[in-house]
Amino acid sequence: MAIIVQKFGGTSVADADKIRRAAKRAISTKEKGYQVVVVASARGKQTDQLVADALELNPNPPKREMDQLLSTGEQQTVSLFAMALEAMGQKAISFTGGQIRMMTDNAFTKASIQSINAEIMHEQLRQGKIVIVAGFQGIDEEGNITTLGRGGSDTTAVAIAAALDAEECEIYTDVDGIYTSDPRIFKDAVKMDQISYEEMLEMASLGAGVMHIRAVAFGKRYNVNIHVRNSAKDIDGTIITHEVPQMEGVVVSGATVQKDMAKIGLIGVDNIPGNAAKVFAHLAKAKVVVNDIIQTEVSDEKANLSFMTSISDLDTAKETVEGIKKEIGCQEILVRQDIAEVSVVGVGMRTHYGVADKMFGALAKAKINIDSITTSEIRISCAVDEDQAEKALVAVCRAFDLDKPASERTF
Ligand code: ADP
Ligand code: ASP
Ligand code: MG
């Protein structure tokens, strides 16, 4: 029997009515002949509330304890979801991450999934039950509860879909699908029918919070069909899939803005072999995720090295580079937190020219200064002052006609 995994985000299970609505959807999918696994997030803004509770007692809470606390939000949802299903006459069973042996490493607050025991879920599905699994959490080999990073329930769902070889993984959220840009900031953004894993990976890593980046990476690696949909409507959303040739015809598919980031600049590092390796080896050991590394030679003796990291990793990153400052001959460490990154993404950039020109032109026309520029084969990113981030995003969206369906764009 084919399996469908349905993930419901926080807003889609925020109260009893919404849990009932989600439960009805799971039942109607089962009635179509599928086995159904539901993955649920914490209700509404509960995870934010738990974070606030923790910070009230300790401004720098131990990460293990943070995971122990944050995982409780999802545990509440799944048991309530199972109760709602049972009340509708549908057999159901809920599981925490640990109960389905969702094994992760021990990188508390941003753990990576290593394996899942699919048989535990298969056994319950064979008994005709709907299985509900708590998103966002796992356990390490010592039995500690871990979490996968904010927004991580998407990753739980796609990883389970891969482990069960599911036909589709449906991600139910509060918008109709994936838009050309965040519809909360660019009101005229349009929904895409499909997007490639590659583009979605870039968009997710550059601030499009609609999908957790590791979920997209799992989807790509294990060929999971991901369908992002609105939990309040019965309409098709956006399919995330492998690239098809027509996608190259669209030069820019989407634009993003990322705000919760910081830039660390190491000024006047000794220009000798091995120094960059040293810096990033220490950062990796401290489990700091870095992006957009730029190194420039200042003279034969000195080089400047900068990188971006998320605000949540900033303290650890600062401590780490301070620790090796002397060793690498660094003269000064500069930190900027008032920075944001605006990016455009599209697989068509591989074969079209003029994208950089158009993007920089749009920012110039809006009188927005560019702090630094980074590119990959399918994206261009500009760091700008944080207070100009939204204006920059809108200017870029308008320049690339991201308020129109792909077929009507002039670029
Ligand atoms: P959930 O709680 O269902 O996981 P999220 O808040 O994580 O929901 O993700 C949905 C939100 O992502 C939307 O409300 C939207 O504001 C935001 N978002 C950011 N970029 C995009 C985009 N390109 N397309 C759609 N939504 C986006
Ligand atoms: N509840 C977690 C969060 O708010 C995980 C998720 O919603 O995906 O980040
Ligand atoms: Mg989410």
Side-chain angles (χ1 to χ4, degrees):
M1 209 186 247
I3 298 175
I4 299 254
V5 176
Q6 300 185 322
K7 178 255 169 178
F8 294 94
T11 43
S12 306
V13 287
D15 54 37
D17 283 343
K18 290 193 174 140
I19 292 178
R20 254 184 237 115
R21 185 178 69 191
K24 276 190 197 141
R25 197 183 278 275
I27 292 174
S28 89
T29 306
K30 187 158 190 301
E31 283 168 351
K32 286 182 191 137
Y34 292 99
Q35 292 183 329
V36 180
V37 175
V38 168
V39 172
S41 294
R43 288 169 294 158
K45 299 253 171 257
Q46 208 190 6
T47 311
D48 292 336
Q49 184 55 51
L50 290 170
V51 171
D53 292 348
L55 295 180
E56 202 183 335
L57 290 165
N58 184 338
N60 194 13
K63 291 190 168 158
R64 179 190 179 280
E65 300 312 322
M66 205 60 185
D67 281 358
Q68 182 96 335
L69 175 70
L70 295 195
S71 64
T72 60
E74 273 69 13
Q75 191 173 335
Q76 291 179 22
T77 318
V78 293
S79 42
L80 291 167
F81 205 111
M83 291 173 198
L85 285 168
E86 291 279 349
M88 293 172 189
Q90 168 61 52
K91 286 189 288 177
I93 181 165
S94 70
F95 289 116
T96 62
Q99 286 169 335
I100 57 155
R101 315 302 294 163
M102 171 78 70
M103 304 307 297
T104 71
D105 60 19
N106 67 355
F108 295 114
T109 74
K110 53 179 174 192
S112 297
I113 298 173
Q114 292 174 332
S115 64
I116 302 173
N117 185 330
E119 192 41 44
I120 296 172
M121 289 178 279
H122 280 306
E123 169 61 26
Q124 300 296 329
L125 292 169
R126 278 195 292 271
Q127 294 174 27
K129 293 181 197 162
I130 289 180
V131 170
I132 309 113
V133 181
F136 175 56
Q137 56 180 266
I139 48 165
D140 71 6
E141 59 181 17
E142 286 169 20
N144 297 301
I145 295 176
T146 56
T147 67
L148 310 179
R150 296 303 306 269
S153 297
D154 298 332
T155 300
T156 306
V158 179
I160 287 177
L164 296 176
D165 199 18
E167 189 169 302
E168 189 166 85
C169 181
E170 299 177 336
I171 304 287
Y172 285 99
T173 185
D174 57 0
V175 284
D176 289 353
I178 296 159
Y179 284 67
T180 48
S181 194
D182 187 342
R184 269 191 288 217
I185 305 175
F186 182 52
K187 302 270 177 287
D188 298 329
V190 293
K191 191 195 86 179
M192 305 182 214
D193 292 333
Q194 56 175 18
I195 182 170
S196 68
Y197 292 116
E198 212 118 332
E199 288 169 320
M200 195 61 228
L201 272 176
E202 289 277 12
M203 285 185 67
S205 78
L206 297 166
V210 60
M211 278 297 289
H212 196 236
I213 181 164
R214 293 224 204 100
V216 190
F218 261 107
K220 183 173 180 222
R221 188 166 351 131
Y222 297 105
N223 298 313
V224 180
N225 292 315
I226 305 174
H227 187 178
V228 181
R229 310 179 68 177
N230 193 327
S231 60
K233 299 183 189 169
D234 229 348
I235 53 169
D236 283 342
T238 305
I239 306 278
I240 309 178
T241 180
H242 287 288
E243 194 176 325
V244 291
Q246 302 90 285
M247 286 178 179
E248 286 251 342
V250 185
V251 185
V252 168
S253 298
T256 60
V257 63
Q258 191 165 27
K259 283 180 164 179
D260 52 351
M261 55 194 323
K263 181 174 168 178
I264 297 192
L266 307 178
I267 310 299
V269 175
D270 285 343
N271 193 5
I272 51 168
N275 263 350
K278 219 171 266 169
V279 171
F280 293 102
H282 277 82
L283 288 165
K285 200 161 163 233
K287 300 191 170 108
V288 173
V289 179
V290 299
N291 287 308
D292 295 348
I293 301 165
I294 304 178
Q295 178 167 318
T296 42
E297 199 175 61
V298 185
S299 66
D300 283 351
E301 285 82 41
K302 290 287 179 188
N304 293 342
L305 183 61
S306 74
F307 62 90
M308 298 272 203
T309 189
S310 65
I311 293 280
S312 57
D313 276 348
L314 179 60
D315 287 345
T316 316
K318 259 196 308 203
E319 249 169 60
T320 307
V321 292
E322 292 284 359
I324 52 166
K325 184 176 174 202
K326 255 211 192 113
E327 204 182 317
I328 58 172
C330 171
Q331 293 163 326
E332 197 185 356
I333 295 173
L334 298 179
V335 177
R336 266 199 80 179
Q337 288 191 55
D338 57 341
I339 201 155
E341 196 170 52
V342 175
S343 309
V344 292
V345 172
V347 288
M349 278 187 218
R350 290 196 198 111
T351 47
H352 289 72
Y353 54 84
V355 181
D357 171 32
K358 187 149 198 135
M359 179 161 184
F360 305 154
L363 293 174
K365 208 167 139 200
K367 301 207 163 20
I368 293 164
N369 193 45
I370 302 172
D371 174 278
S372 57
I373 300 165
T374 43
T375 62
S376 82
E377 206 188 12
I378 64 163
R379 66 128 168 166
I380 300 175
S381 303
C382 296
V384 300
D385 284 353
E386 192 171 41
D387 56 10
Q388 300 217 293
E390 287 171 7
K391 187 173 159 203
L393 181 73
V394 172
V396 166
C397 285
R398 294 248 179 264
F400 288 100
D401 284 345
L402 293 181
D403 49 352
K404 300 193 180 97
S407 58
E408 290 170 26
R409 291 185 204 143
T410 52
F411 191 79

